[in-house]
Amino acid sequence: MFKRTHTCGELQKVNIGDTVSLNGWVNTVRLHGQVVFVDLRDRYGKTQIVFNADSFSGDFEAVKKLSMEDVLSIKGQVKPRAESAINPNMATGEIEVVVENYIMLNEAAPLPFVISDRDNAEENLRLKYRYLELRMEELQRNMLIRHETYQATRSYLSAEKFVEIETPMLMKSTPEGARDYLVPSRIHHGKFYALPQSPQIYKQILMISGYDRYFQIVKCFRDEDLRADRQPEFTQIDMELSFIDEEDIYSTMEGLTKHVFKQVRNVELSGSFPRLTWAEAMDTYGSDKPDLRYGMELKDVKEFTNASDFNAFKSAERVMAIVVEGGAKYSRKIIDELTDYVKKYKAKGLAWMKGENGGFTGGISKFFSDDLHQSMRKELGVNDGDILFMIGDISSITLNALGHLRVEIAKRESLTKKDDFKPVWITEFPMFEYDEEADRFIAMHHPFTAPREDDIGKLDSDPSNTLSRGYDLTMNGYEIAGGSIRIHSQKIQEKVFSLLGLSREEAIEKFGFLVEALTYGAPPHGGIAFGFDRLVMLLAGTENIRDVIAFPKTTSATSLMDESPSNVSLDQLDDLRIQIKQSEK
C-alpha cells in the first residue's frame, strides 16, 4: 500500500504537478478504449483517476476489470482537466490524477445492491448489509452530523460548568415506565440487573451528592413497541441542575439548542422560544408536540353545531374543526380516505363542508341555516375554496384525532420545509393520569416530578387536576427533550407515592436508595434529557431515526446484520441457572 498523501476530497488546482498517493474505493469505472476513468472515493470525497494505456506501465488489461467497491492504492501525478471535462459538482472537479502505479488492496464481491442509490433496495436488505449502506454519501453525512452534534454539545455544556459523569449500565429494575431489559446475574442466582431506561435516579443522587451541574451522553434501553422514530436502545443528552427553577432550565437549554443548530447546520434560532401550556397545546393543535411550521389551528365549533339540526354532535363533549385552505378541491375519494384515517384514532367519523358562493355546500352543510353559514365563515375564517373538517366526541378523542388529521393534511399539502425549525416549550402537564384497569393514578412523567407550588394543596383535595412542573421542548412535531423540576421534599414525595398506590416501604423496595437519599439534605433540583437520535434526525433532515444511527434495529427490535437477538448455548444458560420455558400452543 502507498502511504496516502491526500484524501480523495482534497486535491485542487494548486496541486497540479504534484505526485500524490490516494487510497479508497472504486466508485465508478468508465472505459474509453485505451483510457480508463475511475472515480476513487473515501469519506472525504471523490477524485477522478485516469489509467492511460500509452503511459501506464502496469497490466492495463487488469485495470479494465476493475469493479465497483474494489479497494485501491494509487500513485500518480495531478493534472488539470480539459476545460470541457471540468465537473463543477465535485470539490476536486478541476483536476484528475494520472496513475503511474496502483496496488489492488482488496477485490469486492458482486454487490447485493447499488451503493450509489438507496432507493434501489428495500430497507431490510440495506440493514442486512449495513456496512455497505454506511458507505453511501447520505449516511456518511448523517454520521458526521451526529459526530458534530456530540462535539457541539460537549463544548457548550463544559463552558457552562457542567460535569460529565458516567452512571451504571447495570442497575436495579424499577416500575413506572416501559418494560426493562433484564440481565441475569451469574453470581447471584435468580437475581437480575436492568439496563437503564434513563439515569433518572442516579442523576438525582448526584445532585444530593453536591455535583450541581451534571451531564452525560448516555445509552438508554426500553423494551417497548417501536416506531420509525424509536429504537430499543437510544441515546440521550442527560442533564440535572441544582438550586434552579424552570427559567434557568429554559435559558440554559435554549442556549444549548441554539449552539448546536449554529455549529452543526449554521442555522440561527433567534429569540426566546415560545411557550404553551399542555392544555393550550392540546386545545390549539390537538398535540403536546405541535408542529408550528404551519397554522391550521383547531377551532371550537360546539356552539354552532348545537344551534344546527345536525343531531350527531349534540351529545358530544367537544366538537372541534380545522379549516383547510384550498381544500374544496378534495374529491369524495380523498375525504373518505381522511375519514378512514381519523377512525384509527377512535373518531367515529369526519364531518365536512366546503366553502362556496359565500356559504357552505356538501357534507353536513344542509343541517346549518344560512345565518349559521355566515356566522361560521366569519368566525372561523373560511373562504370560498376552503373545506371545514369537524370531529365530535369526548375531549381526548376529538383533540387527538383532529390533531393527527392536521398533521396528515400538512403532509399531503406539503406545508412544511425541512430547513424551517420551530421550537416550542410545552409546560404545566397534568401530574397524574388515571388508569382505569389498575384503578389508581399513574405519573404522567415519573413519580419524582414536582407539582406546581400553587397546586400542592390539590394533592389532598383534587389530585386529578394537579399540574406538574414538567416541561417538554418540541420542534417540528417531535419531542426533542423532556424533564421537570423534581420533588426534593420527603413529605411531598411520600404523598405522591401514596397517590400512586405505594407505601413508603414499597417505595423504598422499588426505588431504593433515592428515597432514603432524599432524607439527607436534598437541594432543589431539576433536569431534562434530549433525545439525541431525534435531535440528529432533525438536523439531518430525515424522518427515519435509523438513518442517523450507525447500527440500528428494525421495528421488531432485531439486527439483521449480526442476527441478534440470537439463541445461546445450554452451557451459558446453565451458568445462569435459566431454563427456557416452551411457549404454549
Side-chain angles (χ1 to χ4, degrees):
M1 181 180 75
F2 301 117
K3 188 77 171 178
R4 70 177 174 184
T5 59
H6 299 79
T7 69
C8 293
E10 190 175 353
L11 296 172
Q12 304 289 315
K13 289 174 70 174
V14 295
N15 300 108
I16 290 171
D18 294 350
T19 297
V20 299
S21 297
L22 302 177
N23 297 322
W25 286 264
V26 172
N27 194 69
T28 58
V29 180
R30 302 181 298 282
L31 304 178
H32 291 268
Q34 296 301 98
V35 179
V36 177
F37 295 93
V38 173
D39 283 347
L40 196 67
R41 183 197 75 244
D42 60 16
R43 78 173 177 89
Y44 303 95
K46 290 181 282 193
T47 298
Q48 179 172 282
I49 62 174
V50 183
F51 295 85
N52 193 318
D54 294 336
S55 59
F56 181 64
S57 58
D59 183 354
F60 192 73
E61 290 303 312
V63 171
K64 291 182 178 180
K65 297 176 183 177
L66 289 174
S67 298
M68 290 172 64
E69 300 308 306
D70 287 345
V71 188
L72 301 184
S73 183
I74 68 105
K75 179 179 286 187
Q77 190 173 52
V78 182
K79 301 280 189 181
R81 289 201 196 191
E83 193 73 28
S84 61
I86 289 175
N87 185 347
N89 298 319
M90 286 177 64
T92 60
E94 293 183 294
I95 59 91
E96 60 191 16
V97 176
V98 177
V99 179
E100 299 168 359
N101 200 357
Y102 87 101
I103 299 170
M104 171 67 79
L105 297 176
N106 217 324
E107 291 187 31
L111 300 174
F113 53 84
V114 179
I115 286 179
S116 59
D117 182 9
R118 290 186 80 197
D119 294 333
N120 76 67
E122 293 291 330
E123 185 180 38
N124 280 358
L125 181 63
R126 289 186 275 112
L127 288 175
K128 179 176 174 61
Y129 296 96
R130 183 65 167 184
Y131 44 86
L132 294 179
E133 187 180 26
L134 282 170
R135 294 181 189 175
M136 293 183 175
E137 184 176 351
E138 179 183 341
L139 270 292
Q140 294 206 336
R141 172 183 170 273
N142 290 351
M143 293 305 115
L144 290 175
I145 286 174
R146 189 179 180 100
H147 164 76
E148 290 164 6
T149 307
Y150 281 131
Q151 307 316 311
T153 298
R154 286 194 163 96
S155 66
Y156 175 85
L157 292 177
S158 295
E160 291 291 318
K161 301 190 186 310
F162 282 77
V163 180
E164 186 170 6
I165 303 175
E166 291 180 301
T167 54
M169 282 289 107
L170 298 176
M171 62 176 290
K172 181 186 177 79
S173 179
T174 59
E176 308 290 336
R179 293 184 185 89
D180 289 327
Y181 279 101
L182 300 177
V183 180
S185 170
R186 180 183 60 83
I187 298 171
H188 304 283
H189 292 141
K191 294 188 177 181
F192 295 81
Y193 301 101
L195 300 180
Q197 295 186 33
S198 81
Q200 182 64 46
I201 293 177
Y202 290 110
K203 67 180 182 178
Q204 289 191 248
I205 291 288
L206 286 169
M207 296 303 101
I208 296 168
S209 301
Y211 298 89
D212 67 323
R213 290 195 160 203
Y214 139 92
F215 88 97
Q216 175 180 202
I217 301 177
V218 59
K219 279 286 187 188
C220 301
F221 307 84
R222 290 179 188 170
D223 186 5
E224 59 185 348
D225 295 334
L226 307 179
R227 298 197 303 256
D229 64 338
R230 282 187 180 171
Q231 284 280 292
E233 52 180 317
F234 57 95
T235 306
Q236 287 184 178
I237 310 171
D238 199 54
M239 289 162 280
E240 198 80 4
L241 303 87
S242 294
F243 306 111
I244 50 86
D245 60 18
E246 289 89 335
E247 294 301 325
D248 299 300
I249 294 284
Y250 299 151
S251 63
T252 305
M253 298 310 138
E254 287 177 19
L256 171 61
T257 308
K258 290 176 181 179
H259 178 78
V260 167
F261 272 81
K262 179 63 177 175
Q263 293 297 310
V264 177
R265 285 291 306 272
N266 197 29
V267 170
E268 296 276 1
L269 299 176
S270 59
S272 296
F273 296 171
R275 301 175 195 174
L276 292 170
T277 67
W278 178 84
E280 289 170 340
M282 293 303 298
D283 282 350
T284 309
Y285 301 102
S287 172
D288 58 6
K289 43 183 183 293
D291 193 334
L292 302 189
R293 289 177 293 176
Y294 51 92
M296 224 189 314
E297 297 177 356
L298 278 57
K299 310 283 188 180
D300 191 332
V301 293
K302 179 70 170 166
E303 64 172 303
F304 297 116
T305 57
N306 280 350
S308 75
D309 295 326
F310 189 66
N311 295 324
F313 284 162
K314 293 289 174 67
S315 62
E317 180 184 0
R318 298 288 294 276
V319 185
M320 304 292 285
I322 55 172
V323 179
V324 181
E325 293 184 11
K329 65 177 182 277
Y330 290 168
S331 66
R332 188 54 191 262
K333 179 176 180 292
I334 291 175
I335 293 172
D336 288 344
E337 288 174 0
L338 295 175
T339 301
D340 290 338
Y341 180 79
V342 298
K343 286 180 179 178
K344 293 193 299 185
Y345 302 98
K346 300 182 180 180
K348 297 179 180 68
L350 182 63
W352 58 275
M353 300 188 288
K354 293 181 178 181
E356 187 177 308
N357 297 326
F360 284 107
T361 62
I364 63 171
S365 62
K366 63 184 179 182
F367 297 103
F368 292 74
S369 67
D370 290 342
D371 287 345
L372 279 176
H373 283 195
Q374 298 309 310
S375 298
M376 292 177 73
R377 284 181 63 116
K378 181 180 180 181
E379 183 75 21
L380 304 176
V382 179
N383 297 309
D384 284 353
D386 298 343
I387 193 169
L388 183 71
F389 285 121
M390 291 169 280
I391 293 176
D393 212 305
I394 62 172
S395 184
S396 58
I397 290 177
T398 298
L399 297 175
N400 185 49
L402 205 55
H404 279 93
L405 178 65
R406 174 181 178 268
V407 173
E408 175 64 17
I409 289 173
K411 288 179 181 177
R412 287 173 178 254
E413 297 294 323
S414 301
L415 298 182
T416 61
K417 296 178 182 177
K418 287 184 178 179
D419 292 332
D420 186 16
F421 300 100
K422 298 289 187 184
V424 56
W425 287 103
I426 309 301
T427 67
E428 297 186 9
F429 286 81
M431 275 284 289
F432 308 107
E433 296 175 288
Y434 197 77
D435 188 326
E436 297 288 348
E437 280 189 27
D439 191 27
R440 67 174 179 88
F441 288 111
I442 58 173
M444 192 158 184
H445 272 78
H446 55 63
F448 308 109
T449 297
R452 288 195 319 169
E453 291 185 11
D454 290 346
D455 286 7
I456 290 175
K458 290 183 180 178
L459 292 175
D460 289 313
S461 62
D462 192 10
S464 60
N465 286 314
T466 304
L467 299 179
S468 77
R469 298 178 73 180
Y471 36 75
D472 284 351
L473 179 58
T474 74
M475 183 182 289
N476 296 5
Y478 294 98
E479 177 195 331
I480 61 170
S484 66
I485 302 299
R486 321 302 187 191
I487 298 170
H488 68 280
S489 160
Q490 181 187 356
K491 182 180 178 181
I492 294 175
Q493 185 66 76
E494 287 183 359
K495 179 61 183 177
V496 170
F497 280 145
S498 70
L499 287 168
L500 297 173
L502 296 174
S503 67
R504 188 172 191 279
E505 292 71 25
E506 288 172 322
I508 291 173
E509 169 64 25
K510 293 178 183 295
F511 297 108
F513 46 87
L514 176 57
V515 175
E516 185 176 5
L518 287 170
T519 68
Y520 290 103
H525 61 285
I528 195 167
F530 277 73
F532 187 81
D533 309 298
R534 202 169 288 169
L535 177 62
V536 176
M537 186 177 79
L538 283 169
L539 290 164
T542 179
E543 293 183 353
N544 189 335
I545 207 164
R546 293 187 288 277
D547 287 350
V548 298
I549 298 172
F551 300 104
K553 304 290 190 294
T554 67
T555 52
S556 60
T558 61
S559 172
L560 299 177
M561 188 185 74
D562 63 19
E563 299 181 329
S564 64
S566 61
N567 296 321
V568 298
S569 69
L570 288 176
D571 287 343
Q572 288 174 285
L573 292 175
D574 286 343
D575 279 346
L576 297 168
R577 306 286 176 90
I578 288 177
Q579 281 186 314
I580 303 297
K581 182 180 179 180
Q582 297 300 317
S583 60
E584 296 179 4
K585 293 184 179 179

